[in-house]
Amino acid sequence: MKIAFLGIGLMGDPMARRLLAAGHQVTAWNRTHAKAQALTGAGAQAVADLAEAVRDAQIVISMLEAGPTVASVLQQAMPSLAPHALWIDMSSTQQAEAQTFHQQLTAQGCRFIDAPVSGGVGGAAAGTLAIMAGGSAGDFSEAEPVLSAMGRATLVGPAGSGQVAKLCNQLIVGATINIVAEAMLLAQAAGADPAAMRAAIRGGFAESKILEVHGQRMLDRQFVAGGKVSTQLKDQRNILAAAEAAGIVLPLTELVTARYQTLAQTIPQADHSAALIGLEQLNPGQRVGTVPDRFD
């Protein structure tokens, strides 16, 4: 399959490498061309011109920072798209943005799937991402063999539904990180060993990937960004926008959003597990562990 991959960042680089390892022809494009060039050793063709990158591609995959960036790149690329090309946007955007991309591409005779992911850089490198897809069954059937090189893809509904599923994922992630932080600080403040508490409850009903991964990061005070505070805040705001559009109220998500909004004022580039730091700031004199915080 001839694929144009747009956006060679922390996630895009390992995702594109998985496609190359699966035998696909990948043309890589990034606004900072050096990032695309880093894939040439793995077999990709790095192209500096966006129009050239998408020309003749059967599938275009975008992995960009946010909806406005996707919209800008899409507008620039559309005149050069091949007839009936399938655009798969794996970025995290708003549902309404994904639906607009679908309408724009359909009007030009092309097709669209929104397919945001969860699993982080580690999942991207291992090819184990959870991929939530929105689009038609026929388009998903065509895309699935490509998506399977990067992880496990599930069709969850029409265009825009993939973004809804990703927002549900981020809703759970954002809230659970904060709950794990509260458990860590409670254990510390009440005289228990937070690490031993975490070990004791592993395997019970409180077990989760968040407790496993982010709980350890909190114990290690390791806040080097995997998922950034700023990115989590963007997702939280998108969740609330989707809730408003659906006519529902999400009171806990509103609280979590407020916590990340406060944290983003001081350490926006830290890992979102730095929610622990924000909690400690609400409780002067209380701190989990004794090692210094790490941000790089």
Side-chain angles (χ1 to χ4, degrees):
M1 187 72 72
K2 187 174 182 180
I3 300 168
F5 201 106
L6 315 179
I8 313 300
L10 283 175
M11 292 290 289
D13 181 288
M15 291 166 68
R17 290 179 188 275
R18 296 296 306 188
L19 293 171
L20 289 162
H24 297 292
Q25 300 177 53
V26 177
T27 298
W29 174 88
N30 195 75
R31 285 175 294 182
T32 303
H33 185 53
K35 292 184 178 180
Q37 287 180 310
L39 287 174
T40 56
Q45 179 185 4
V47 175
D49 181 69
L50 177 59
E52 182 183 350
V54 302
R55 189 173 293 118
D56 299 327
Q58 298 162 277
I59 290 180
V60 176
I61 296 176
S62 51
M63 188 61 178
L64 303 165
E65 62 183 354
T69 304
V70 178
S72 175
V73 170
L74 178 62
Q75 285 300 316
Q76 295 175 59
M78 279 181 65
S80 302
L81 292 177
H84 207 54
L86 175 58
W87 189 299
I88 304 174
D89 181 36
M90 305 188 78
S91 320
S92 292
T93 74
Q94 294 185 16
Q95 178 187 18
E97 290 172 325
Q99 291 170 334
T100 297
F101 302 151
H102 172 255
Q103 293 166 359
Q104 291 172 333
L105 286 160
T106 300
Q108 187 170 303
C110 296
R111 298 165 297 148
F112 177 78
I113 290 176
D114 54 300
V117 305
S118 179
V121 176
T128 58
L129 292 171
I131 305 171
M132 299 143 273
S136 73
D139 290 342
F140 178 75
S141 179
E142 179 180 333
E144 190 171 18
V146 172
L147 296 175
S148 66
M150 297 177 283
R152 176 181 55 83
T154 304
L155 181 65
V156 295
S161 298
Q163 296 299 343
V164 173
K166 175 61 185 290
L167 292 179
C168 291
N169 179 87
Q170 293 306 93
L171 183 159
I172 294 169
V173 168
T176 306
I177 285 175
N178 279 268
I179 291 298
V180 169
E182 291 190 4
M184 291 289 183
L185 192 63
L186 175 60
Q188 180 79 41
D193 179 348
M197 175 278 296
R198 173 176 170 273
I201 66 176
R202 295 287 303 275
F205 283 157
E207 178 67 284
S208 70
K209 197 72 173 178
I210 300 297
L211 180 65
E212 175 190 348
V213 175
H214 292 287
Q216 189 62 53
R217 288 180 183 173
M218 292 175 191
L219 290 170
D220 295 339
R221 310 291 303 190
Q222 174 60 270
F223 302 121
V224 178
K228 298 178 182 179
V229 167
S230 59
T231 302
Q232 185 67 44
L233 178 58
K234 178 204 73 173
D235 291 338
Q236 294 293 139
R237 288 170 170 163
N238 286 346
I239 293 164
L240 292 177
E244 182 178 3
I248 63 171
V249 175
L250 301 176
L252 292 181
T253 298
E254 290 176 355
L255 290 173
V256 172
T257 303
R259 297 304 310 135
Y260 278 113
Q261 189 164 342
T262 298
L263 202 60
Q265 294 172 6
T266 54
I267 48 173
Q269 301 305 307
D271 188 85
H272 46 186
S273 60
L276 176 66
I277 295 176
L279 179 62
E280 291 167 341
Q281 291 170 347
L282 291 174
N283 295 274
Q286 298 293 342
R287 187 178 188 274
V288 174
T290 58
V291 297
D293 295 338
R294 286 193 56 197
F295 297 101
D296 52 31

